[in-house]
Amino acid sequence: MVFGVGLIINAVLVAIPVGGSVGALMGIDAHRAATGQKPLFAGGNTEDGSSPGGGNGGSGSTGDGGNHNSTSSVHGTQSTEYCDLSWGITPPSKTEQYTLNPNQWGVDGTTVGKLCMNVTTFKNETYPTKTAPEFSVNWMFDAGPETQPVHAYSNIRVDNVLPLALDSMQELYLDLHWTYGVGNTSAETTSQDDLTTANLNTNVAIDMFLDSDKDKAENGTNAQYEVMVWFAQFGPATQPIGLSDKSKATRELNGTTFDLFVGKNGQGQTVMSWVAQEAVSGGFKEKFTGDIYPLITDLYTLDPSKLKDLTPPSKGDFLGSLAFGTEAFYSNSFVTFSVPQYKIDIRT
Ligand SMILES: *[C@@H]1O[C@H](CO)[C@@H](O)[C@H](O)[C@H]1NC(C)=O
Ligand SMILES: *[C@@H]1O[C@H](CO)[C@@H](O)[C@H](O)[C@H]1NC(C)=O
Ligand SMILES: *[C@@H]1O[C@H](CO)[C@@H](O)[C@H](O)[C@H]1NC(C)=O
Ligand SMILES: *[C@@H]1O[C@H](CO)[C@@H](O)[C@H](O)[C@H]1NC(C)=O
Ligand SMILES: *[C@@H]1O[C@H](CO)[C@@H](O)[C@H](O)[C@H]1NC(C)=O
Ligand SMILES: *[C@@H]1O[C@H](CO)[C@@H](O)[C@H](O)[C@H]1NC(C)=O
């Protein structure tokens, strides 16, 4: 395939909704608050009108409640499928607390396609230290209009830890293994050829929000900085903001080299994206283990002359939100994003 310059420019523009994704979610929360509903992240409600009548998930847990398809119950685990547009899934946990969300914020009556999230919970509610429940996201969408190319940012968030002052943190330890595969079941490993044949357009990324104001840092719309860590960039529709400029910095972490791209999104936020070098050229890195805190601290000392009119964050700023997920643009076949291992340990 050959892509003209015009298409590349479009590709950069359409990357903007990455920044808007969590913001859109916050917008839904504001709507819910205004109409007297529970906040989304507390779990137990839906946006797509198919809400079950009862106020399920009362204690902020949706491990089982709701109009969802609970599937196999194997060896002390339970898998539940959530096809809701937006639903805060907070599985009961005696260990680390996480909230998952299909977060189909770019889907309406005209959308052709479908997305469901499958979460596998432990009945004993006891997960390995700092480790999230296993989950997967199964989807297929036609390409959306240029004004709304992203259908969903299905993601998992850490609860109860943030906001935190950046310099109060010692380590941001990540242990990650994900795969993307064609079809409705989780792939063992990711095959670039299969995904190219399926014309898959998506990314896999951590999305963080930072601000000098603690409250703004928690709000994806108001935060001054969006800091991302990309592990995959599939298809021409999704590119980090600033990719066409040179990389502003490089950092090697336990065998993975990240390049930094910087720019502003449509909301005026400064977006700083560390992209694994495999992903810069349209590939992926499906495993990573190590401390990603240097990807934040490196930003403090960036040469301002390289950043044009943008100022980097500083150590007094706050980290307000941290999510990990995949942005669904389009695909010709059903694909499954699977996360067998996701552990986040924010050490202070
Ligand atoms: C985030 O900020 C926006 C814009 O100021 C506001 O409309 C929204 O209610 C805020 N969201 C939350 C969850 O506070
Ligand atoms: C619910 O799960 C069952 C068992 O896996 C499956 O046969 C059925 O098709 C599912 N229903 C929907 C609506 O997805
Ligand atoms: C909790 O359940 C999971 C899944 O069955 C099991 O692997 C784990 O060992 C159990 N943990 C404890 C502390 O019982
Ligand atoms: C959900 O995930 C579990 C664990 O990977 C799997 O056994 C189950 O078949 C999946 N269910 C659906 C509906 O995808
Ligand atoms: C995958 O699941 C969708 C429904 O979610 C179904 O329409 C499709 O036929 C399935 N594809 C395969 C290959 O089983
Ligand atoms: C580096 O990655 C390997 C797996 O590739 C992991 O076993 C090891 O613990 C990691 N090292 C650090 C310091 O995190």
PDB file of all heavy atoms in Angstrom, residues 19 208-227 265 267-271 318 320-321:
ATOM      1  N   GLY A  19      -5.754  11.348  23.367  1.00  0.00           N
ATOM      2  CA  GLY A  19      -5.784  12.294  24.479  1.00  0.00           C
ATOM      3  C   GLY A  19      -7.189  12.538  24.967  1.00  0.00           C
ATOM      4  O   GLY A  19      -7.406  12.848  26.120  1.00  0.00           O
ATOM      5  N   MET A 208      -1.161   8.268  30.889  1.00  0.00           N
ATOM      6  CA  MET A 208      -1.079   8.902  32.220  1.00  0.00           C
ATOM      7  C   MET A 208      -1.400  10.392  32.100  1.00  0.00           C
ATOM      8  O   MET A 208      -1.131  11.008  31.071  1.00  0.00           O
ATOM      9  CB  MET A 208       0.339   8.763  32.788  1.00  0.00           C
ATOM     10  CG  MET A 208       0.757   7.340  33.049  1.00  0.00           C
ATOM     11  SD  MET A 208       2.437   7.229  33.745  1.00  0.00           S
ATOM     12  CE  MET A 208       3.424   7.252  32.261  1.00  0.00           C
ATOM     13  N   PHE A 209      -1.953  10.958  33.163  1.00  0.00           N
ATOM     14  CA  PHE A 209      -2.204  12.404  33.190  1.00  0.00           C
ATOM     15  C   PHE A 209      -1.465  13.057  34.353  1.00  0.00           C
ATOM     16  O   PHE A 209      -1.464  12.532  35.466  1.00  0.00           O
ATOM     17  CB  PHE A 209      -3.709  12.690  33.248  1.00  0.00           C
ATOM     18  CG  PHE A 209      -4.383  12.396  31.945  1.00  0.00           C
ATOM     19  CD1 PHE A 209      -5.048  11.204  31.738  1.00  0.00           C
ATOM     20  CD2 PHE A 209      -4.295  13.299  30.892  1.00  0.00           C
ATOM     21  CE1 PHE A 209      -5.643  10.916  30.512  1.00  0.00           C
ATOM     22  CE2 PHE A 209      -4.885  13.033  29.666  1.00  0.00           C
ATOM     23  CZ  PHE A 209      -5.557  11.839  29.479  1.00  0.00           C
ATOM     24  N   LEU A 210      -0.819  14.192  34.049  1.00  0.00           N
ATOM     25  CA  LEU A 210       0.010  14.919  35.013  1.00  0.00           C
ATOM     26  C   LEU A 210      -0.405  16.392  35.034  1.00  0.00           C
ATOM     27  O   LEU A 210      -0.778  16.941  33.993  1.00  0.00           O
ATOM     28  CB  LEU A 210       1.474  14.884  34.571  1.00  0.00           C
ATOM     29  CG  LEU A 210       2.395  13.704  34.897  1.00  0.00           C
ATOM     30  CD1 LEU A 210       1.854  12.397  34.356  1.00  0.00           C
ATOM     31  CD2 LEU A 210       3.774  13.950  34.297  1.00  0.00           C
ATOM     32  N   ASP A 211      -0.303  16.989  36.197  1.00  0.00           N
ATOM     33  CA  ASP A 211      -0.538  18.430  36.295  1.00  0.00           C
ATOM     34  C   ASP A 211       0.084  18.943  37.591  1.00  0.00           C
ATOM     35  O   ASP A 211       0.292  18.177  38.535  1.00  0.00           O
ATOM     36  CB  ASP A 211      -2.042  18.736  36.285  1.00  0.00           C
ATOM     37  CG  ASP A 211      -2.340  20.182  35.916  1.00  0.00           C
ATOM     38  OD1 ASP A 211      -2.253  21.062  36.809  1.00  0.00           O
ATOM     39  OD2 ASP A 211      -2.640  20.450  34.740  1.00  0.00           O
ATOM     40  N   SER A 212       0.346  20.263  37.643  1.00  0.00           N
ATOM     41  CA  SER A 212       0.876  20.848  38.870  1.00  0.00           C
ATOM     42  C   SER A 212      -0.220  20.935  39.929  1.00  0.00           C
ATOM     43  O   SER A 212       0.057  21.056  41.113  1.00  0.00           O
ATOM     44  CB  SER A 212       1.459  22.233  38.585  1.00  0.00           C
ATOM     45  OG  SER A 212       0.448  23.047  38.028  1.00  0.00           O
ATOM     46  N   ASP A 213      -1.480  20.872  39.478  1.00  0.00           N
ATOM     47  CA  ASP A 213      -2.619  20.891  40.390  1.00  0.00           C
ATOM     48  C   ASP A 213      -3.127  19.452  40.571  1.00  0.00           C
ATOM     49  O   ASP A 213      -3.445  18.765  39.605  1.00  0.00           O
ATOM     50  CB  ASP A 213      -3.711  21.784  39.787  1.00  0.00           C
ATOM     51  CG  ASP A 213      -4.948  21.872  40.650  1.00  0.00           C
ATOM     52  OD1 ASP A 213      -5.666  20.845  40.785  1.00  0.00           O
ATOM     53  OD2 ASP A 213      -5.213  22.955  41.179  1.00  0.00           O
ATOM     54  N   LYS A 214      -3.193  19.046  41.827  1.00  0.00           N
ATOM     55  CA  LYS A 214      -3.571  17.668  42.162  1.00  0.00           C
ATOM     56  C   LYS A 214      -4.926  17.269  41.562  1.00  0.00           C
ATOM     57  O   LYS A 214      -5.090  16.166  41.035  1.00  0.00           O
ATOM     58  CB  LYS A 214      -3.656  17.603  43.688  1.00  0.00           C
ATOM     59  CG  LYS A 214      -3.413  16.284  44.296  1.00  0.00           C
ATOM     60  CD  LYS A 214      -3.413  16.468  45.822  1.00  0.00           C
ATOM     61  CE  LYS A 214      -3.182  15.180  46.535  1.00  0.00           C
ATOM     62  NZ  LYS A 214      -2.997  15.387  47.977  1.00  0.00           N
ATOM     63  N   ASP A 215      -5.902  18.168  41.649  1.00  0.00           N
ATOM     64  CA  ASP A 215      -7.240  17.835  41.151  1.00  0.00           C
ATOM     65  C   ASP A 215      -7.273  17.756  39.633  1.00  0.00           C
ATOM     66  O   ASP A 215      -7.893  16.870  39.055  1.00  0.00           O
ATOM     67  CB  ASP A 215      -8.270  18.865  41.641  1.00  0.00           C
ATOM     68  CG  ASP A 215      -8.393  18.847  43.160  1.00  0.00           C
ATOM     69  OD1 ASP A 215      -8.245  17.751  43.742  1.00  0.00           O
ATOM     70  OD2 ASP A 215      -8.603  19.918  43.764  1.00  0.00           O
ATOM     71  N   LYS A 216      -6.588  18.717  39.005  1.00  0.00           N
ATOM     72  CA  LYS A 216      -6.553  18.693  37.532  1.00  0.00           C
ATOM     73  C   LYS A 216      -5.855  17.433  37.017  1.00  0.00           C
ATOM     74  O   LYS A 216      -6.214  16.907  35.969  1.00  0.00           O
ATOM     75  CB  LYS A 216      -5.831  19.932  36.993  1.00  0.00           C
ATOM     76  CG  LYS A 216      -6.649  21.207  37.085  1.00  0.00           C
ATOM     77  CD  LYS A 216      -5.912  22.351  36.402  1.00  0.00           C
ATOM     78  CE  LYS A 216      -6.721  23.635  36.466  1.00  0.00           C
ATOM     79  NZ  LYS A 216      -5.919  24.791  35.996  1.00  0.00           N
ATOM     80  N   ALA A 217      -4.857  16.964  37.757  1.00  0.00           N
ATOM     81  CA  ALA A 217      -4.118  15.773  37.320  1.00  0.00           C
ATOM     82  C   ALA A 217      -5.025  14.546  37.228  1.00  0.00           C
ATOM     83  O   ALA A 217      -4.775  13.637  36.449  1.00  0.00           O
ATOM     84  CB  ALA A 217      -2.960  15.495  38.278  1.00  0.00           C
ATOM     85  N   GLU A 218      -6.103  14.572  38.020  1.00  0.00           N
ATOM     86  CA  GLU A 218      -7.017  13.424  38.024  1.00  0.00           C
ATOM     87  C   GLU A 218      -8.032  13.492  36.902  1.00  0.00           C
ATOM     88  O   GLU A 218      -8.759  12.533  36.653  1.00  0.00           O
ATOM     89  CB  GLU A 218      -7.796  13.384  39.349  1.00  0.00           C
ATOM     90  CG  GLU A 218      -6.954  12.950  40.514  1.00  0.00           C
ATOM     91  CD  GLU A 218      -7.835  12.727  41.736  1.00  0.00           C
ATOM     92  OE1 GLU A 218      -8.065  13.697  42.485  1.00  0.00           O
ATOM     93  OE2 GLU A 218      -8.299  11.592  41.914  1.00  0.00           O
ATOM     94  N   ASN A 219      -8.105  14.641  36.254  1.00  0.00           N
ATOM     95  CA  ASN A 219      -9.129  14.862  35.239  1.00  0.00           C
ATOM     96  C   ASN A 219      -8.473  14.935  33.853  1.00  0.00           C
ATOM     97  O   ASN A 219      -7.783  15.902  33.532  1.00  0.00           O
ATOM     98  CB  ASN A 219      -9.869  16.174  35.577  1.00  0.00           C
ATOM     99  CG  ASN A 219     -11.014  16.429  34.634  1.00  0.00           C
ATOM    100  OD1 ASN A 219     -10.950  16.087  33.455  1.00  0.00           O
ATOM    101  ND2 ASN A 219     -12.072  17.024  35.150  1.00  0.00           N
ATOM    102  N   GLY A 220      -8.715  13.895  33.051  1.00  0.00           N
ATOM    103  CA  GLY A 220      -8.088  13.796  31.734  1.00  0.00           C
ATOM    104  C   GLY A 220      -8.353  14.982  30.831  1.00  0.00           C
ATOM    105  O   GLY A 220      -7.598  15.234  29.889  1.00  0.00           O
ATOM    106  N   THR A 221      -9.411  15.730  31.095  1.00  0.00           N
ATOM    107  CA  THR A 221      -9.725  16.900  30.275  1.00  0.00           C
ATOM    108  C   THR A 221      -8.894  18.099  30.697  1.00  0.00           C
ATOM    109  O   THR A 221      -8.482  18.901  29.875  1.00  0.00           O
ATOM    110  CB  THR A 221     -11.227  17.262  30.426  1.00  0.00           C
ATOM    111  OG1 THR A 221     -11.987  16.072  30.270  1.00  0.00           O
ATOM    112  CG2 THR A 221     -11.640  18.279  29.386  1.00  0.00           C
ATOM    113  N   ASN A 222      -8.654  18.226  32.001  1.00  0.00           N
ATOM    114  CA  ASN A 222      -8.015  19.431  32.519  1.00  0.00           C
ATOM    115  C   ASN A 222      -6.508  19.325  32.693  1.00  0.00           C
ATOM    116  O   ASN A 222      -5.835  20.352  32.800  1.00  0.00           O
ATOM    117  CB  ASN A 222      -8.602  19.777  33.898  1.00  0.00           C
ATOM    118  CG  ASN A 222     -10.025  20.274  33.785  1.00  0.00           C
ATOM    119  OD1 ASN A 222     -10.479  20.644  32.706  1.00  0.00           O
ATOM    120  ND2 ASN A 222     -10.734  20.280  34.893  1.00  0.00           N
ATOM    121  N   ALA A 223      -5.994  18.118  32.753  1.00  0.00           N
ATOM    122  CA  ALA A 223      -4.566  17.951  33.026  1.00  0.00           C
ATOM    123  C   ALA A 223      -3.729  18.605  31.925  1.00  0.00           C
ATOM    124  O   ALA A 223      -4.075  18.545  30.749  1.00  0.00           O
ATOM    125  CB  ALA A 223      -4.233  16.470  33.130  1.00  0.00           C
ATOM    126  N   GLN A 224      -2.615  19.217  32.318  1.00  0.00           N
ATOM    127  CA  GLN A 224      -1.762  19.880  31.328  1.00  0.00           C
ATOM    128  C   GLN A 224      -1.006  18.867  30.472  1.00  0.00           C
ATOM    129  O   GLN A 224      -0.772  19.096  29.292  1.00  0.00           O
ATOM    130  CB  GLN A 224      -0.766  20.809  32.036  1.00  0.00           C
ATOM    131  CG  GLN A 224       0.073  21.619  31.046  1.00  0.00           C
ATOM    132  CD  GLN A 224       1.101  22.519  31.744  1.00  0.00           C
ATOM    133  OE1 GLN A 224       1.132  22.626  32.975  1.00  0.00           O
ATOM    134  NE2 GLN A 224       1.927  23.172  30.938  1.00  0.00           N
ATOM    135  N   TYR A 225      -0.631  17.739  31.087  1.00  0.00           N
ATOM    136  CA  TYR A 225       0.203  16.763  30.373  1.00  0.00           C
ATOM    137  C   TYR A 225      -0.465  15.405  30.253  1.00  0.00           C
ATOM    138  O   TYR A 225      -1.048  14.900  31.211  1.00  0.00           O
ATOM    139  CB  TYR A 225       1.532  16.550  31.122  1.00  0.00           C
ATOM    140  CG  TYR A 225       2.340  17.792  31.280  1.00  0.00           C
ATOM    141  CD1 TYR A 225       2.378  18.460  32.502  1.00  0.00           C
ATOM    142  CD2 TYR A 225       3.058  18.322  30.207  1.00  0.00           C
ATOM    143  CE1 TYR A 225       3.119  19.625  32.656  1.00  0.00           C
ATOM    144  CE2 TYR A 225       3.801  19.479  30.352  1.00  0.00           C
ATOM    145  CZ  TYR A 225       3.825  20.129  31.582  1.00  0.00           C
ATOM    146  OH  TYR A 225       4.557  21.280  31.728  1.00  0.00           O
ATOM    147  N   GLU A 226      -0.341  14.845  29.068  1.00  0.00           N
ATOM    148  CA  GLU A 226      -0.661  13.439  28.871  1.00  0.00           C
ATOM    149  C   GLU A 226       0.656  12.746  28.530  1.00  0.00           C
ATOM    150  O   GLU A 226       1.326  13.121  27.568  1.00  0.00           O
ATOM    151  CB  GLU A 226      -1.665  13.268  27.742  1.00  0.00           C
ATOM    152  CG  GLU A 226      -2.007  11.817  27.474  1.00  0.00           C
ATOM    153  CD  GLU A 226      -3.121  11.640  26.453  1.00  0.00           C
ATOM    154  OE1 GLU A 226      -3.251  12.489  25.548  1.00  0.00           O
ATOM    155  OE2 GLU A 226      -3.856  10.645  26.558  1.00  0.00           O
ATOM    156  N   VAL A 227       1.037  11.774  29.346  1.00  0.00           N
ATOM    157  CA  VAL A 227       2.285  11.044  29.093  1.00  0.00           C
ATOM    158  C   VAL A 227       1.907   9.600  28.765  1.00  0.00           C
ATOM    159  O   VAL A 227       1.206   8.940  29.544  1.00  0.00           O
ATOM    160  CB  VAL A 227       3.226  11.101  30.313  1.00  0.00           C
ATOM    161  CG1 VAL A 227       4.483  10.270  30.066  1.00  0.00           C
ATOM    162  CG2 VAL A 227       3.599  12.554  30.621  1.00  0.00           C
ATOM    163  N   ASN A 265      -2.214  18.284  21.607  1.00  0.00           N
ATOM    164  CA  ASN A 265      -3.438  17.726  21.024  1.00  0.00           C
ATOM    165  C   ASN A 265      -4.478  18.828  20.822  1.00  0.00           C
ATOM    166  O   ASN A 265      -4.230  19.988  21.132  1.00  0.00           O
ATOM    167  CB  ASN A 265      -3.974  16.562  21.874  1.00  0.00           C
ATOM    168  CG  ASN A 265      -4.480  16.998  23.244  1.00  0.00           C
ATOM    169  OD1 ASN A 265      -4.690  18.180  23.503  1.00  0.00           O
ATOM    170  ND2 ASN A 265      -4.677  16.025  24.115  1.00  0.00           N
ATOM    171  N   GLN A 267      -6.994  19.575  22.360  1.00  0.00           N
ATOM    172  CA  GLN A 267      -7.465  20.240  23.583  1.00  0.00           C
ATOM    173  C   GLN A 267      -6.383  21.121  24.193  1.00  0.00           C
ATOM    174  O   GLN A 267      -6.537  21.599  25.312  1.00  0.00           O
ATOM    175  CB  GLN A 267      -7.879  19.194  24.612  1.00  0.00           C
ATOM    176  CG  GLN A 267      -8.954  18.248  24.123  1.00  0.00           C
ATOM    177  CD  GLN A 267      -9.257  17.181  25.164  1.00  0.00           C
ATOM    178  OE1 GLN A 267      -9.804  17.471  26.222  1.00  0.00           O
ATOM    179  NE2 GLN A 267      -8.887  15.954  24.883  1.00  0.00           N
ATOM    180  N   GLY A 268      -5.252  21.266  23.484  1.00  0.00           N
ATOM    181  CA  GLY A 268      -4.183  22.125  23.980  1.00  0.00           C
ATOM    182  C   GLY A 268      -3.300  21.465  25.025  1.00  0.00           C
ATOM    183  O   GLY A 268      -2.451  22.108  25.640  1.00  0.00           O
ATOM    184  N   GLN A 269      -3.505  20.162  25.237  1.00  0.00           N
ATOM    185  CA  GLN A 269      -2.666  19.466  26.216  1.00  0.00           C
ATOM    186  C   GLN A 269      -1.330  19.077  25.578  1.00  0.00           C
ATOM    187  O   GLN A 269      -1.278  18.764  24.385  1.00  0.00           O
ATOM    188  CB  GLN A 269      -3.371  18.188  26.694  1.00  0.00           C
ATOM    189  CG  GLN A 269      -4.590  18.463  27.551  1.00  0.00           C
ATOM    190  CD  GLN A 269      -5.418  17.210  27.780  1.00  0.00           C
ATOM    191  OE1 GLN A 269      -5.847  16.559  26.840  1.00  0.00           O
ATOM    192  NE2 GLN A 269      -5.665  16.893  29.040  1.00  0.00           N
ATOM    193  N   THR A 270      -0.279  19.088  26.368  1.00  0.00           N
ATOM    194  CA  THR A 270       1.023  18.630  25.893  1.00  0.00           C
ATOM    195  C   THR A 270       1.052  17.106  26.002  1.00  0.00           C
ATOM    196  O   THR A 270       0.861  16.555  27.084  1.00  0.00           O
ATOM    197  CB  THR A 270       2.141  19.247  26.755  1.00  0.00           C
ATOM    198  OG1 THR A 270       2.068  20.672  26.613  1.00  0.00           O
ATOM    199  CG2 THR A 270       3.510  18.767  26.299  1.00  0.00           C
ATOM    200  N   VAL A 271       1.255  16.465  24.865  1.00  0.00           N
ATOM    201  CA  VAL A 271       1.243  15.003  24.826  1.00  0.00           C
ATOM    202  C   VAL A 271       2.669  14.512  24.601  1.00  0.00           C
ATOM    203  O   VAL A 271       3.317  14.890  23.616  1.00  0.00           O
ATOM    204  CB  VAL A 271       0.319  14.477  23.707  1.00  0.00           C
ATOM    205  CG1 VAL A 271       0.273  12.948  23.731  1.00  0.00           C
ATOM    206  CG2 VAL A 271      -1.085  15.056  23.859  1.00  0.00           C
ATOM    207  N   PHE A 318       1.926  16.362  39.774  1.00  0.00           N
ATOM    208  CA  PHE A 318       1.242  15.164  40.270  1.00  0.00           C
ATOM    209  C   PHE A 318       0.889  14.212  39.136  1.00  0.00           C
ATOM    210  O   PHE A 318       0.535  14.648  38.044  1.00  0.00           O
ATOM    211  CB  PHE A 318      -0.054  15.552  40.996  1.00  0.00           C
ATOM    212  CG  PHE A 318       0.185  16.301  42.266  1.00  0.00           C
ATOM    213  CD1 PHE A 318       0.350  17.688  42.265  1.00  0.00           C
ATOM    214  CD2 PHE A 318       0.262  15.623  43.480  1.00  0.00           C
ATOM    215  CE1 PHE A 318       0.592  18.379  43.439  1.00  0.00           C
ATOM    216  CE2 PHE A 318       0.501  16.313  44.659  1.00  0.00           C
ATOM    217  CZ  PHE A 318       0.670  17.689  44.638  1.00  0.00           C
ATOM    218  N   GLY A 320      -1.992  11.871  38.220  1.00  0.00           N
ATOM    219  CA  GLY A 320      -3.376  11.750  38.682  1.00  0.00           C
ATOM    220  C   GLY A 320      -4.098  10.513  38.194  1.00  0.00           C
ATOM    221  O   GLY A 320      -5.088  10.081  38.786  1.00  0.00           O
ATOM    222  N   SER A 321      -3.626   9.942  37.089  1.00  0.00           N
ATOM    223  CA  SER A 321      -4.348   8.825  36.492  1.00  0.00           C
ATOM    224  C   SER A 321      -3.396   7.961  35.681  1.00  0.00           C
ATOM    225  O   SER A 321      -2.485   8.482  35.022  1.00  0.00           O
ATOM    226  CB  SER A 321      -5.464   9.410  35.606  1.00  0.00           C
ATOM    227  OG  SER A 321      -5.877   8.499  34.632  1.00  0.00           O
TER     228      SER A 321
END
